[in-house]
Amino acid sequence: MNTSQFLSRLTLLCVSITGTALADHDDNVRPDSHAPIGVMGDHLHKKGEWMFSYRYMQMSMDDLSDDGDSLSPEEIATTAVNPFFGAPGQPPTLRVVPTEMTMDMHMVGFMYAPTDRVTLMVMGQYIEKDMQHITFRGPRGTDRLGNFTTRSSGLGDTRVSALIGLRQTESSTTHATVGLSLPTGSTEEQDDVLAPTGMRPTLRLPYPMQLGSGSYDPILGVTHVEFRDRYSFGGQWTSVLRIEDNDDSYRFGDEHTATGWLAWQANRQLSLSSRLSWRMQGDVDDRDQRIIAPVQTADPDRQAGRRIDLGLGLNWAGQGDWRGHRLSLEWLVPLDQDLDGPQLETEWTATLGYQYAF
């Protein structure tokens, strides 16, 4: 047997083995074997398998509302009560009004399965936030003094979790999520602001502009997915529980999210998805004594809200030489928002993701 014949037969053997592996692990080849990219911790891996993921998410917030009623900046500046009124320099109403906010989030994750039933997951974040404001002159009236923007950026909190298989059949999986959010994000972000007096002090930024919770927060959840010939559907419940105060003597409100999705395979590599998501966020418990300003974002009792989103997505799963690689995109828009405001409404959220399993 010469060298060329040996290499030819070796190639045929490798192709045969690869074909067998593809048949044995066909569930990983399906483009819809992963949930829409905006859903975290949605699937288990086989023993010894790793997965690297990168997600880029952008959220845009615009318009102001309170319990479903739209509000103008002038209405807020003249009627919304300032909870800090009576403290030095604090006017009776909210004289600084946010008008827009954008958040960019870069999320890097790793998953590893020590057994077929348990997959370990870690997710780190880098966050950039921008919020635009209008400042009204003095303690009363609708005279606009000027505009300013506050910014914060840095590491967010890190999440570590175990996904534990509860039930698995040929066409369905159910698993629980047990994890912890680690306080790696800052709660001491500062920036220059424009006060109603015309001064520009440097202050600790309000709660939505901070990068982390400052506390160790348990994460609990459950996920169920069903597979059919050309489509799949699933649901997930996740809660982040704030059970302790941080070093600044406050805690963020609990977060609860329920979501359900339906995905259809357009072909062997591409699936289309639709998703409904319900999210509830609680108010801040107690407060940071360094956060005091005539703006709604500084009020611990104006942070809660409920939102229902509709999402549309694409999942692409590589085949052949690109096996293990995935690209995904999802776009979410709110169907309904009920905010304990005044607060900025979410306008849209977009997530682009890449995943590689090996």
Side-chain angles (χ1 to χ4, degrees):
M1 181 186 301
N2 58 34
T3 302
S4 62
Q5 289 175 322
F6 173 77
L7 292 176
S8 177
R9 292 186 181 184
L10 180 60
T11 301
L12 288 173
L13 176 61
C14 290
V15 170
S16 176
I17 293 173
T18 302
T20 302
L22 286 171
D24 290 343
H25 298 84
D26 188 59
D27 60 326
N28 284 337
V29 175
R30 289 182 62 141
D32 63 334
S33 65
H34 291 194
I37 194 65
V39 181
M40 309 291 181
D42 60 287
H43 63 277
L44 299 174
H45 285 270
K46 295 184 182 298
K47 180 180 179 179
E49 189 174 48
W50 289 81
M51 191 185 81
F52 164 80
S53 66
Y54 167 75
R55 290 173 171 87
Y56 169 67
M57 186 198 79
Q58 185 173 81
M59 175 185 289
S60 176
M61 304 180 76
D62 199 357
D63 296 330
L64 296 149
S65 71
D66 182 9
D67 290 330
D69 297 325
S70 297
L71 299 170
S72 69
E74 282 72 18
E75 287 178 291
I76 293 173
T78 54
T79 64
V81 175
N82 178 12
F84 307 110
F85 178 53
Q90 293 298 311
T93 57
L94 301 179
R95 303 295 290 167
V96 178
V97 181
T99 57
E100 294 180 33
M101 179 178 177
T102 59
M103 180 174 67
D104 296 275
M105 185 179 295
H106 304 266
M107 295 169 279
V108 176
F110 290 92
M111 301 178 79
Y112 171 69
T115 72
D116 285 340
R117 189 183 173 194
V118 176
T119 294
L120 306 178
M121 181 174 71
V122 59
M123 176 73 73
Q125 309 173 79
Y126 184 87
I127 304 171
E128 299 171 304
K129 297 181 179 183
D130 285 54
M131 184 177 285
Q132 299 178 26
H133 306 74
I134 298 171
T135 298
F136 290 85
R137 189 186 306 276
R140 294 176 179 82
T142 56
D143 182 18
R144 296 190 178 194
L145 177 63
N147 302 324
F148 71 96
T149 301
T150 56
R151 296 182 172 89
S152 60
S153 62
L155 294 177
D157 289 346
T158 301
R159 295 189 174 191
V160 292
S161 304
L163 312 182
I164 305 168
L166 301 177
R167 183 175 180 272
Q168 184 169 1
T169 69
E170 291 184 357
S171 61
S172 69
T173 63
T174 305
H175 69 263
T177 299
V178 180
L180 191 67
S181 177
L182 309 178
T184 51
S186 170
T187 59
E188 300 177 353
E189 295 299 297
Q190 300 182 98
D191 205 351
D192 298 337
V193 304
L194 176 60
T197 60
M199 298 180 65
R200 291 186 174 270
T202 300
L203 302 177
R204 178 167 290 190
L205 293 175
Y207 306 102
M209 292 298 293
Q210 296 301 327
L211 303 174
S213 68
S215 56
Y216 292 87
D217 307 319
I219 303 169
L220 299 175
V222 62
T223 305
H224 179 77
V225 186
E226 297 267 352
F227 296 97
R228 299 296 182 264
D229 184 37
R230 292 291 299 273
Y231 69 94
S232 61
F233 56 92
Q236 182 185 82
W237 176 281
T238 305
S239 294
V240 181
L241 307 175
R242 317 292 188 180
I243 61 173
E244 64 171 9
D245 289 351
N246 57 27
D247 290 342
D248 296 303
S249 301
Y250 72 92
R251 72 183 74 174
F252 281 102
D254 293 344
E255 299 175 22
H256 304 288
T257 304
T259 189
W261 65 90
L262 173 66
W264 174 76
Q265 296 184 63
N267 55 46
R268 191 165 180 256
Q269 291 182 289
L270 184 68
S271 65
L272 311 176
S273 66
S274 62
R275 180 162 74 97
L276 279 176
S277 175
W278 172 87
R279 181 178 183 273
M280 183 175 72
Q281 168 76 53
D283 277 324
V284 172
D285 187 16
D286 214 333
R287 72 180 187 90
D288 185 338
Q289 299 297 321
R290 299 173 185 83
I291 298 178
I292 176 171
V295 61
Q296 64 210 38
T297 50
D299 185 352
D301 295 327
R302 286 178 166 130
Q303 308 301 318
R306 293 147 294 282
R307 190 176 78 238
I308 298 175
D309 291 330
L310 172 65
L312 299 175
L314 296 171
N315 273 11
W316 174 85
Q319 308 292 335
D321 291 342
W322 290 96
R323 178 179 168 81
H325 297 268
R326 289 177 173 269
L327 290 173
S328 303
L329 174 67
E330 187 179 39
W331 179 275
L332 288 133
V333 293
L335 297 179
D336 183 64
Q337 299 182 70
D338 184 9
L339 307 175
D340 295 343
Q343 287 188 46
L344 285 170
E345 294 184 336
T346 298
E347 188 177 13
W348 52 262
T349 304
T351 304
L352 175 67
Y354 166 75
Q355 299 168 314
Y356 176 52
F358 55 96

